[in-house]
Structure formats: structure tokens, C-alpha cells
Amino acid sequence: MEVLTHYNFDPEKAKEFAKTQNWAEIFKTRRDSIFCFAVRHKGKIYAVRDHLGITPLYYRLKGAPIASHDLNKIVKKGDEVNEEGAKFLVISQTPKLVPVVKEIEIVPPGTVLEIDEKTRQTKVLYEYHITPAKIKGITKKEFIKKWDQLFTKAIKDSIQEKEVGLYLSGGMDSALIAITLNKLGVKVNGYTSAPWGLKSSEVAYSKINAKVGKIKKHTIDSLKTETYLKSLENMLSIYGIPHAETTAIAVSHMWSTTNIGKEKQIYFGQNSDTLSASVSHQNYLWWTHLFPGWGLLKKIVPLLQTYQSDLADHYITLISEGLTTKCPDRIKKIINRSKLNLTQKITMAGMLLAHSPRDGEVLFQPGFNKGIIMSDPYYNIDLVELYLGLPFRFRMAFSRSQTLWFYHEKKILRWWALKYLPKKLVYRKKAFTVSLERNKRAKAFQKKLPTNFRGLKLAGCDQKVSTYVFSKWIKKKGLKP
């Protein structure tokens, strides 16, 4: 028996599961959704990937079958680029959704895959089905208490070091992680990116978070536009894979100039917006699929005119800015795996197709590439399933200042956050962005980026940055374009 690859999973336990074949037990007991492994046993390879597919897991059937969480270890010089995967990478900024190389496949999230080494045949042995909690009659107070308990448990169960790093923003999500870690006796070192300079509000609020979270060592990394190109050039070595988007410029700079890479475990706080379906694209999807015939609303909000009957196709049309109108069937199948209502399905699409794969990977991948344990309680499946069951009355907000007056908002998480954080921090508007319009140097940098890729006219800065890095990776690996 041989453990071919493993991340955040005890290799001896991986061997034991390969013997017992008790696959459901893995997904029942490991709720953090950041793990994977592959074991070779008696002519078979058993590949296991976490519930949400936060960790990638690739396999190759050509030649001697192999599986690895490191794409570079199974890519060979002379391999051919997969056209569909290449275009989807440019759209999604991540290679873990659709294979970018023809000879390589991807284990779906929440799946145990058996690979027969002799016949090269694959068989799904187990699939985890996301199941929303049944909490229809729950009160606001009861939900917040339950969430608070599960959040603390999610962090407690994930702690592997007495001292950890934390991507510390000026928002509530990372602050709540810091506060909880501190309560559990863990020393936290905070790392804040300042892509808008040291005088930005993000820096000021991150200092408030550091104080509330009792973080004594707080590193603030100021990103200047003259370093954009160098950070972009360093991206392949920092990320290891062709992940790229504009925010990765800031993260790449942080990993090049601070001590974050010396941490043994790093926490980050991504997924609460996606989980609450409060990302703007998710709200547009909800309205158009709830009332597909509302012609007047479509005239008021042009984005709603992109309606497609298939939710996943519509989602990919929105996030790709029209670059494609079709979601790959492999991803549709995962989104439709569980029986969900409209809001729940939009949430799952955000976590599996759009926001979490990209926005999470920008923080997750540098540490993953170095073998550092990465942890995010907002991926914990107990929390995910609890929030998916949240009654409609706790999900929606109303404001005439918004494009859509009635919209999904993470208001119940804000009510929870008010237990620990000042109101001005809980309700501030924030976003982690790197502007390519910031000044003349940023605009000059943008002009150096490609504008087309394989016949596609690139629609935005993220797509241009992604194409730049992907093209360099293709050349570095010696792939046939």
C-alpha cells in the first residue's frame, strides 16, 4: 500500500480507509472541507477530495496511472493544452474546475474515485450530498447561538499549531477568526495587504481588528503600483499553478516581502458572502430565476437581460462578462447533486463554480503550494449546511440605495458579529481589490497585458492577468498550445 499524495490528512488514516472502504466516515468526521489524499492499494487508486473541492486533486490515466494534489507533478513536457479547460481558466482564474491539460482529469468535490490501474477505468465509490439543516422554525437568537457554537468548534477542530498566521482584513470575517483563536489560547500573527496605500480605510480598520483580536504582531504590506509587474512575474513561483487575477498581485507581493511563508498554519476568512448569496451576481440570478418574465425589471437592470433557463449557464455568462454562455456539464452535475431550492442552488453555484474557487484560491494557494496548513472556518460543512437551512425571513434586506431594492444580505451574520465587534466595522462596505486604474503607472501596466486569447476578446483585467500567467505556465511546462 502506498500513499501517493495527501494534504491535511493523516497518511496512516488514509491507508486505513483504503482497507476498510468506509468512505462515508471520512466526510462525516472531517467537516473542515480542506483535505485530500490518494492511496494505491491492490491494483487500485483511491482518490478522495473534500466536500467543496477547496483542495485540488488531479489524476492521470495515460501511462502509469497517478494522482496528485500538485498539478505540476503529473504534467509532462509535450502534453497538450485542453481547449475547454484553457478558456475556462481564463474565465474563472483557477485550473481546478476544468482540466487545462488533455491527459489530466480532476476528482470532483466531495467524491471518492476508484481508478483501476490495469483497465484505466474509473468508478465513483462515494459522493457527499450537501444537506441543508432543517431549522424552519428557528428564532434569530437560537440561530446566532447555534452558529456561534459551531464556528468556535470549527476553529477548535482545525487548530494544529500554538501560533498561526491570519490574513487580516479590515472586515468582520477575519476579525471573528482572530477573536475566536485568541479565546482558544492560540497566538495569532496578522498580515494585512494594503493595495490602496497605508492611508487607506482598510489599514485603519485592520488595526481595529488587530486590537480587538489581541494580535500583537501585525504586518501591513503596502502595495505600490511600481511593483505590480514584479509581483505578476513572481506569481507562478508563489502560486505554483496558473492561478491569476488582479488581487493575486497583492497577495503575491505579500508572500514575497513578509514572513507569512514562515508560518506553519494560516487562517483566512473567505466564503461568508457567497454562503449568504449576497454577492451581486447571486442577487441578479435570484431575481431573474424567480421572475423570468419580468420584462420591466430587465429594462431597469440591464444585467437581468442575460437570463438563461439553466442557472449554471446563466451564472457563468455573468461572471465571464459574456465570454461564454455555457457551464461545463461536469460542474452542473455537482451543483445539481443535492435537492435544493433556488437560493440554496445559487449558493452552491457560488461555492463550486464562481466566487469561492477563485476568491478562496487567491488566499489559499500560496500556502498550499508550500505545504502549509491552510484553514478557513467558513468552509466548515456544519456551518455551510446550517446557513443553507436559514429561513427566508433572516436572509433578505431592503434598501432603496441598492440597484435591487430587495436583496440577499448576510444580516444575521452581522447581528452575530455585533456581539464582538464595533458597529462601524460590522457595517462598513469593503472589498479586496487591486486597481489597474489607480494612477499612470497602473494604467501603463495594464497596457502590457494581453487583450485576446485563443480567439476570445478578453473582457476584464482579471481575464487579462490570468491569460498572461497561464501563457507563461504553458511555456514553462513545455506544453503543446
Side-chain angles (χ1 to χ4, degrees):
M1 186 180 292
E2 177 187 5
V3 177
L4 300 176
T5 193
H6 66 96
Y7 177 78
N8 197 24
F9 203 96
D10 185 338
E12 293 305 314
K13 288 186 178 180
K15 289 180 182 179
E16 188 62 31
F17 279 114
K19 288 180 182 178
T20 64
Q21 304 275 299
N22 189 6
W23 306 117
E25 186 66 17
I26 298 173
F27 296 89
K28 181 181 177 182
T29 56
R30 283 296 303 269
R31 307 298 279 176
D32 54 312
S33 193
I34 302 183
F35 63 87
C36 69
F37 68 84
V39 176
R40 175 181 282 129
H41 181 51
K42 295 183 177 180
K44 305 286 179 65
I45 293 175
Y46 300 103
V48 180
R49 189 178 178 197
D50 66 65
H51 314 69
L52 298 176
I54 304 304
T55 50
L57 186 55
Y58 309 95
Y59 65 95
R60 185 184 186 103
L61 297 177
K62 187 177 180 179
I66 191 70
S68 178
H69 66 267
D70 185 346
L71 179 59
N72 292 301
K73 286 187 176 180
I74 57 176
V75 171
K76 297 180 180 179
K77 184 177 181 181
D79 281 347
E80 193 173 346
V81 171
N82 176 28
E83 187 73 11
E84 181 191 32
K87 290 182 177 179
F88 204 78
L89 180 142
V90 170
I91 293 166
S92 63
Q93 287 88 58
T94 172
K96 68 180 181 182
L97 297 177
V98 180
V100 295
V101 176
K102 282 187 176 181
E103 291 78 11
I104 293 172
E105 264 295 343
I106 302 172
V107 178
T111 300
V112 178
L113 193 71
E114 178 189 88
I115 304 169
D116 190 301
E117 293 191 276
K118 185 177 181 180
T119 65
R120 307 292 198 274
Q121 296 296 307
T122 62
K123 181 169 68 174
V124 173
L125 299 182
Y126 179 84
E127 288 180 335
Y128 184 83
H129 291 239
I130 300 290
T131 306
K134 296 180 180 180
I135 51 172
K136 189 176 180 180
I138 199 168
T139 65
K140 168 186 167 182
K141 185 178 180 180
E142 288 169 341
F143 180 88
I144 291 174
K145 181 180 180 181
K146 182 67 174 176
W147 178 274
D148 196 44
Q149 291 171 341
L150 288 178
F151 189 83
T152 300
K153 184 178 186 301
I155 292 182
K156 185 177 181 180
D157 290 348
S158 67
I159 294 170
Q160 298 187 33
E161 300 292 335
K162 295 180 179 179
E163 182 175 348
V164 302
L166 169 67
Y167 284 107
L168 184 69
S169 72
M172 68 182 218
D173 296 333
S174 59
L176 291 162
I177 295 174
I179 290 168
T180 306
L181 283 167
N182 183 267
K183 286 195 301 183
L184 293 170
V186 179
K187 181 181 177 182
V188 181
N189 300 320
Y191 298 87
T192 299
S193 175
W196 293 89
L198 294 176
K199 294 182 179 180
S200 67
S201 61
E202 181 73 0
V203 171
Y205 278 99
S206 73
K207 289 180 178 179
I208 295 174
N209 281 341
K211 184 177 181 180
V212 174
K214 298 182 180 179
I215 296 174
K216 295 181 180 180
K217 186 178 178 182
H218 181 203
T219 302
I220 299 172
D221 182 51
S222 179
L223 177 67
K224 298 179 180 179
T225 51
E226 55 261 38
T227 65
Y228 278 13
L229 184 59
K230 185 176 181 182
S231 295
L232 180 64
E233 295 293 342
N234 288 339
M235 215 171 283
L236 270 183
S237 62
I238 297 294
Y239 281 81
I241 57 170
H243 170 97
E245 55 178 298
T246 52
T247 52
I249 295 171
V251 177
S252 174
H253 187 269
M254 176 187 285
W255 279 78
S256 299
T257 60
T258 73
N259 290 324
I260 191 170
K262 294 182 180 180
E263 302 287 353
K264 294 180 180 180
Q265 183 176 11
I266 300 171
Y267 281 82
F268 60 108
Q270 190 277 328
N271 201 41
S272 72
D273 291 326
T274 313
L275 182 57
S276 57
S278 60
V279 180
S280 59
H281 286 145
Q282 291 176 304
N283 272 303
Y284 289 131
L285 277 170
W286 184 78
W287 272 103
T288 50
H289 285 265
L290 189 66
F291 304 109
W294 277 26
L296 178 61
L297 189 62
K298 293 177 184 178
K299 289 181 181 179
I300 298 172
V301 186
L303 260 178
L304 301 186
Q305 296 174 13
T306 61
Y307 174 76
Q308 290 167 267
S309 59
D310 185 276
L311 187 144
D313 286 342
H314 189 185
Y315 213 148
I316 201 66
T317 301
L318 286 176
I319 66 171
S320 72
E321 299 181 66
L323 209 61
T324 184
T325 58
K326 291 293 180 184
C327 174
D329 289 338
R330 64 175 65 230
I331 300 176
K332 286 184 184 180
K333 182 180 178 183
I334 302 167
I335 294 171
N336 295 323
R337 184 183 286 174
S338 302
K339 292 182 179 180
L340 305 171
N341 63 32
L342 177 60
T343 298
Q344 293 165 347
K345 188 171 287 189
I346 288 173
T347 297
M348 289 305 300
M351 290 192 293
L352 295 169
L353 169 63
H355 312 295
S356 295
R358 178 187 66 189
D359 299 343
E361 190 171 89
V362 72
L363 303 174
F364 168 81
Q365 183 62 33
F368 180 73
N369 183 43
K370 287 180 171 288
I372 298 169
I373 297 301
M374 304 297 293
S375 304
D376 183 346
Y378 298 98
Y379 293 145
N380 182 279
I381 293 300
D382 289 328
L383 287 172
V384 168
E385 293 183 337
L386 177 66
Y387 201 99
L388 282 173
L390 185 67
F392 185 76
R393 64 185 181 277
F394 296 135
R395 288 180 172 272
M396 308 305 292
F398 176 83
S399 173
R400 290 189 177 183
S401 65
Q402 301 294 320
T403 304
L404 299 171
W405 291 358
F406 193 53
Y407 56 96
H408 287 84
E409 216 280 330
K410 59 178 185 182
K411 62 181 184 180
I412 199 159
L413 296 187
R414 296 190 196 279
W415 295 336
W416 164 60
L418 287 172
K419 292 177 58 179
Y420 304 101
L421 298 168
K423 186 176 181 179
K424 64 178 181 179
L425 192 148
V426 171
Y427 284 98
R428 73 177 289 250
K429 293 183 178 180
K430 65 171 291 293
F432 180 31
T433 59
V434 174
S435 174
L436 301 192
E437 300 285 341
R438 184 174 164 188
N439 55 28
K440 289 182 179 179
R441 283 191 296 265
K443 292 177 181 178
F445 166 80
Q446 186 177 170
K447 290 180 180 179
K448 296 179 181 179
L449 300 174
T451 57
N452 291 275
F453 180 73
R454 294 177 177 259
L456 298 175
K457 186 177 181 180
L458 303 177
C461 294
D462 283 334
Q463 293 176 6
K464 294 174 182 178
V465 169
S466 181
T467 297
Y468 183 92
V469 173
F470 185 43
S471 299
K472 287 179 69 69
W473 184 76
I474 290 173
K475 186 176 180 180
K476 180 180 179 181
K477 303 305 294 185
L479 304 180
K480 295 177 183 178

